[in-house]
């Protein structure tokens, strides 16, 4: 199975940039298609798709969210961070079944 | 708008079975596969598998091959997750998702 590694916690100040990483144990890219997706989950709510295929903003998601990366290394950036962004963030790969999730990064206020 | 609406919370005893529904609206049901995801209390997301909504063929992650069944009622745009022989460790919130996510169904297993 492909293992996705995320840092457990990221502390950031409001208005600053938050950079979260997701590292895969093997490539999740096919040709130029990067099969990594990012979700936001607030307490008591279902996850919400933020970014699909590494860099594509999902419908209705603010432009302060962006994603990049290829192969095994992927990044989610929130710039600037707003209070409403305090949540857990998960990456998921769809390159190879099972389509595993990372353990999540909890975004906290510094 | 696209919505996935799941059935309500369940309280079950060990050994019992249950079936969770996930009703889709706002899009053509067979256009997107449906995945199922488990989230134990205070834990992260665990991929359970997916079902091909065109063929009905399910694919299960290793941890979910024994007691778990994915099914469809395509005419009703509904996907189902059945869990047999419930165990305490099945206590969790279960989500259906296509990109959009259902609101989750809390399953509590307790004697």
């Amino acid at each position: 199975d492909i293992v996705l590694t995320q840092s457990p916690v990221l502390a950031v100040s409001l208005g600053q940039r938050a950079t979260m990483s997701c590292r895969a144990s093997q490539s999740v890219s096919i040709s130029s298609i990067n099969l990594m997706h990012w979700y936001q989950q607030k307490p008591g709510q279902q996850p919400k798709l933020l970014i699909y295929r590494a860099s594509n903003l999902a419908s209705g998601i603010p432009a302060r969210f962006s994603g990049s990366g290829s192969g095994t290394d992927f990044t989610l950036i929130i710039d600037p961070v707003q209070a409403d962004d305090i949540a857990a963030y998960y990456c998921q790969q769809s390159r190879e079944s099972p389509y595993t999730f990372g353990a999540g990064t909890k975004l906290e206020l510094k | 708008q696209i919505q996935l609406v799941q059935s309500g919370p369940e309280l079950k005893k060990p050994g019992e079975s249950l079936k969770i529904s996930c009703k889709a609206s706002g899009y053509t049901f067979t256009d997107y596969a449906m995945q199922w995801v488990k989230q134990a209390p205070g834990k992260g997301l665990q991929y359970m598998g997916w079902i091909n909504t065109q063929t009905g063929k399910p694919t299960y992650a290793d941890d979910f091959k024994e007691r778990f069944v994915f099914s469809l009622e395509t005419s009703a745009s509904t996907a189902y997750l059945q869990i047999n022989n419930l165990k305490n460790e099945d206590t969790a919130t279960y989500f259906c998702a296509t990109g959009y996510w259902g609101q989750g169904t809390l399953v509590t297993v307790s004697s």
Side-chain angles (χ1 to χ4, degrees), chain B residues 7-12 18-20 105-109:
Chain B
S7 48
E10 302 266 8
L11 175 59
K12 293 288 188 180
L18 63 76
K19 195 169 187 177
I20 297 167
T105 296
L106 176 61
V107 173
T108 304
V109 183

Side-chain angles (χ1 to χ4, degrees), chain A residues 32-71:
Chain A
S32 60
I33 302 172
N34 302 302
L35 296 168
M36 184 67 79
H37 321 286
W38 290 91
Y39 301 91
Q40 176 194 65
Q41 187 181 31
K42 296 178 182 177
Q45 295 187 17
Q46 69 268 51
K48 182 198 301 184
L49 178 65
L50 297 175
I51 302 285
Y52 63 96
R53 281 187 246 129
S55 60
N56 297 278
L57 204 62
S59 175
I61 301 304
R64 65 178 184 276
F65 292 89
S66 63
S68 64
S70 65

